[in-house]
Amino acid sequence: MSSGIGFAVDGHIARVTLDRPKALNSINAEMDLALFEAWTEINNNPDIWVAVLSATGEKAFCAGADVSGTGGGAGRRMALGGGLTGVGGPLLTLRKPLVAAVQGYAIGGGFELAMCADIIVAADTTKFGIPETKVGIIGEAGIMHRAIRQLPHHIALAMILTGDRIDVHQAERYGLVNEVVPYEKLDETATLWAERIASASPLAVQAAKDAVLSRAGWPLETALATRYEPIEAYEYSADRLEGRKAFAEKRNAVWTGR
């Protein structure tokens, strides 16, 4: 794949694959643009309800930005990861749930890309790292801001200040990943998570994600007092009516995402 990115849709699940294994799936300008296009399609296509981000090869999920040259290219300014990380350009908000299937090295921008996911499934080979201070290349601090929010305070600071990595079992203990599996079961397990999410009302899932993340850094009183337009709009959707009908008829709902 010339872009270094694979994109496919299987039912209601979109599959995005980092595909530069010889470069440890590091992200160059062409991949950034392809990722931006993938996230945009996922956001805009009502028949896509959940996405899975994975990578080719057992050695690495992603080693971060390709130091030989990164950025949006073609005159387009965007953040790393097609805009998903918010590092180096405008942040792209993915409205659909994202499951990351991570293996091997997830370091620097690759670690941050994984932390952008809503669910992280990790192979037992995975190692997470923030190497910036160790190698003296610190720039935008996006990965550090995410790490301090997703890991215990002292664990995150130890990783940031030393550049040392943590293995997947430490990551699981700290609540960073949802499930650890053998590498051979990584894709299967990520798909099962995606299918579980897709079995719920897609509009309700998207509204819930929007509400939770849009007020995650705000005081509880503010979050409780906020009106959430996607939740209000859901009340008048066909899926809301189908949910009520299915509950009354004691059957599984048939969602349309409309």
Side-chain angles (χ1 to χ4, degrees):
M1 304 173 188
S2 59
S3 68
I5 298 294
F7 181 79
V9 179
D10 178 12
H12 294 297
I13 301 173
R15 300 182 184 278
V16 181
T17 308
L18 308 179
D19 192 34
R20 289 182 73 216
K22 292 183 179 179
L24 301 182
N25 295 312
S26 59
I27 298 174
N28 60 18
E30 192 174 14
M31 291 174 72
D32 253 340
L33 180 58
L35 284 169
F36 175 83
E37 292 172 349
W39 306 137
T40 301
E41 171 64 15
I42 291 166
N43 269 343
N44 293 341
N45 189 336
D47 292 322
I48 294 176
W49 298 353
V50 60
V52 176
L53 174 64
S54 60
T56 302
E58 188 172 359
K59 190 171 183 179
F61 169 71
C62 178
D66 186 338
V67 295
S68 65
T70 60
R76 186 192 300 273
R77 180 173 176 266
M78 67 182 68
L80 183 69
L84 205 61
T85 66
V87 172
L91 173 69
L92 182 150
T93 299
L94 189 64
R95 296 192 299 271
K96 313 293 177 67
L98 178 62
V99 179
V102 183
Q103 78 280 0
Y105 295 114
I107 57 177
F111 182 17
E112 180 161 15
L113 191 57
M115 286 192 287
C116 290
D118 304 298
I119 302 291
I120 300 178
V121 180
D124 53 13
T125 59
T126 308
K127 294 184 184 296
F128 298 97
I130 306 173
E132 280 80 348
T133 57
K134 179 170 284 188
V135 296
I137 57 171
I138 189 167
E140 291 94 350
I143 185 172
M144 303 176 192
H145 293 304
R146 290 186 188 276
I148 202 70
R149 286 163 171 78
Q150 296 191 32
L151 285 163
H153 179 90
H154 293 102
I155 301 303
L157 274 176
M159 293 182 70
I160 292 165
L161 300 179
T162 67
D164 292 345
R165 300 168 185 156
I166 61 172
D167 65 32
V168 72
H169 300 294
Q170 292 172 288
E172 183 181 33
R173 187 164 70 247
Y174 302 141
L176 181 69
V177 302
N178 295 83
E179 189 171 359
V180 178
V181 297
Y183 173 71
E184 294 75 16
K185 293 187 176 181
L186 182 61
D187 288 343
E188 173 189 348
T189 306
T191 297
L192 288 174
W193 275 98
E195 290 174 344
R196 287 166 62 187
I197 294 171
S199 69
S201 166
L203 294 181
V205 165
Q206 292 163 39
K209 175 176 175 175
D210 172 78
V212 169
L213 297 186
S214 67
R215 289 295 179 267
W218 293 68
L220 178 60
E221 293 80 3
T222 302
L224 294 175
T226 300
R227 293 181 60 182
Y228 300 100
E229 291 184 6
I231 291 178
E232 294 179 351
Y234 178 70
E235 181 66 24
Y236 303 98
S237 68
D239 275 2
R240 179 69 175 102
L241 296 175
E242 166 62 10
R244 290 173 176 171
K245 186 176 180 181
F247 180 80
E249 296 174 357
K250 296 180 172 58
R251 61 171 174 82
N252 292 329
V254 180
W255 310 116
T256 63
R258 303 296 196 277

